[in-house]
Amino acid sequence: MNDSKKYGFTTTILHSDRQKAIEHGSLHKPIHTSVAFGYKDARELAEVFQGKKPGYRYGRQGNPTVSALEDKITRMEEGLSTLCFSTGMAAIGALAQALLRAGDHVVSSSFLFGNTNSLWQTVNAQGANVTFVDATDVANVEAALTPATRIVFVETIANPRTQIADLARIGELCRQRGILYVVDNTMTSPYLFKPKQVGAGLVVNSLTKSIGGHGIALGGALTDTGLYDWSAFPNIYDNYKRNPVQQWGMAQLRAKALRDFGSALGPEAAHHIAVGAETMALRQERECANALALAQMLQADERVSAVHYPGLPSHPQHALAKELFKAYGSLFSFELKDGVDCFDYLNRLKLAVPASNLGDTRTLVIPVAHTIFYEMGPERRASMGIAESLIRVSVGIEDTADLVEDFRQALDA
Ligand SMILES: *Cc1c(COP(=O)(O)O)cnc(C)c1O
């Protein structure tokens, strides 16, 4: 495979490992479990430590199996470089650990994955300030900016209510103001959408979800798209300014978050995720088609009061989703009419499993207000558009007719 030629998404991922020599012609990058990396010449070890020579030092800061996965994600996002972390939350936490200081300000979408919402509350209590805004309209983001704003953070399709941020306009605003724009691409995945297209400087992916895809390994990643000018970022320490400007952000993230906070991805997990990634495009095609079929069936049923899915013309940002994304995603949520108990409904499903994960090959369902959004309480739930009866569905790759029949028969109490 000639690296300079542009191949399709799946071809690129399948042949990514072979871009670098692999031991014994192995077709998969092997699982390297060694924590330490030995050098014959002690001076070479010193050069690696001083950043004068590429090489591995200690497993917490880098590992060959993890690097191979980082290369794959960089190719998926068409970015400059990627850092992997133990989980998606560790990747988001790294932003706060490595890039923010006391007194800094963050503007975040208020339509967020629950644990990210909780993380920003912690950051708020620790000395930086986070303002939550309805990011479906760039005007709300612009009104919240202050001279201390360092990061604007949004999700593509918000989990679980599927609101879509005003992605391109927010990107343009951040570009004009020199603010770092961070987009969590987990719900779309780099197959459906590349945040680089809308000006994101850093892209977050939870590898646990669609990229790994089988619910057998946790992981997270930050990708630098190469679009952000790090010389405009006031919090880079002098140590990391020895690198070319394009690398400042990732150099600081690797040292201050990965090395100092220790949230390294293990090589076994990296291997599982890399194998899963090979079929991401195939899985996503099926999952998105299944999600659309289920959403359409439920919307047409009078026992269902609301269905939230960007693929439905009734969705407030349907046109935007159609313009930006290859398909509408594998997640939707819905509300049952008063009188239909959401727990009873879930218990009548025969295939879909009550469980908390997304992007698994199996269809998973969860009553949102009673589980993943329980801790935040009814007021904050209401402000995020979370109804008490909301059911979130992560759609798997089962045969479409089987899934539609399962969700239909469960309506017949
Ligand atoms: C799951 C998820 C995360 C966190 O990922 P983990 O790997 O579970 O830590 C972050 N953002 C979004 C949108 C998610 O769905």
Side-chain angles (χ1 to χ4, degrees), residues 10 74 135 163 170 189 193 203 216 238-239 257 272 283 292 294 312 329 357 365 369 381 402:
T10 296
T74 299
Q163 299 97 334
I170 297 171
S189 89
F193 179 61
V203 181
I216 55 167
D238 288 343
N239 256 342
H272 281 308
R283 287 184 277 106
L292 184 62
L294 282 174
L312 296 174
N357 189 17
V365 285
R381 277 199 296 274
D402 292 338

Side-chain angles (χ1 to χ4, degrees), residues 303-305 334-338 340-342 345 389 391 411:
R303 292 162 289 189
V304 175
S305 59
F334 69 104
E335 296 158 34
L336 294 162
K337 282 244 168 83
D338 284 349
V340 190
D341 185 280
C342 70
Y345 178 83
S389 72
I391 293 172
L411 287 168

Side-chain angles (χ1 to χ4, degrees), residues 75-95:
R75 287 172 203 278
M76 290 181 194
E77 291 287 1
E78 294 174 10
L80 197 63
S81 62
T82 297
L83 268 183
C84 280
F85 295 86
S86 54
T87 64
M89 285 317 302
I92 300 172
L95 300 169

Side-chain angles (χ1 to χ4, degrees), residues 60 90 93-94 96-98 253-264:
R60 179 155 30 75
Q97 290 155 355
L253 280 157
R254 187 182 286 279
K256 291 295 177 189
L258 196 60
R259 185 195 66 194
D260 295 0
F261 281 83
S263 49

Side-chain angles (χ1 to χ4, degrees), residues 87-89 92 113 116 155 159 184 186-187 206 208-209 219 358:
T87 64
M89 285 317 302
I92 300 172
F113 177 62
T116 307
E155 295 179 3
N159 166 8
D184 183 337
T186 302
M187 296 306 305
S206 165
T208 315
K209 313 291 173 56
L358 304 173

Side-chain angles (χ1 to χ4, degrees), residues 48-52 57 61 98 101 230 233-245 247-256 259-260:
V48 169
F49 260 79
Q50 291 164 20
K52 293 174 182 156
R57 313 171 195 182
Q61 283 122 284
R101 300 190 190 183
W230 288 101
F233 199 76
N235 295 349
I236 302 292
Y237 297 97
D238 288 343
N239 256 342
Y240 309 110
K241 291 188 179 172
R242 287 190 212 129
N243 300 289
V245 175
Q247 294 168 19
W248 288 5
M250 289 307 246
Q252 184 157 315
L253 280 157
R254 187 182 286 279
K256 291 295 177 189
R259 185 195 66 194
D260 295 0

Side-chain angles (χ1 to χ4, degrees), residues 1-2 18 41 57 71 115 124 138 144 173 190 198 212 283 334 357 386 404:
M1 177 180 168
N2 173 356
R18 294 199 294 126
D41 180 349
R57 313 171 195 182
D71 283 349
N115 300 155
N124 236 333
V138 67
L173 174 69
V198 293
R283 287 184 277 106
F334 69 104
N357 189 17
I386 310 294
V404 171

Side-chain angles (χ1 to χ4, degrees), residues 175-187:
R175 193 188 63 75
Q176 284 169 9
R177 307 287 180 94
I179 296 169
L180 178 62
Y181 183 28
V182 183
V183 176
D184 183 337
N185 197 27
T186 302
M187 296 306 305

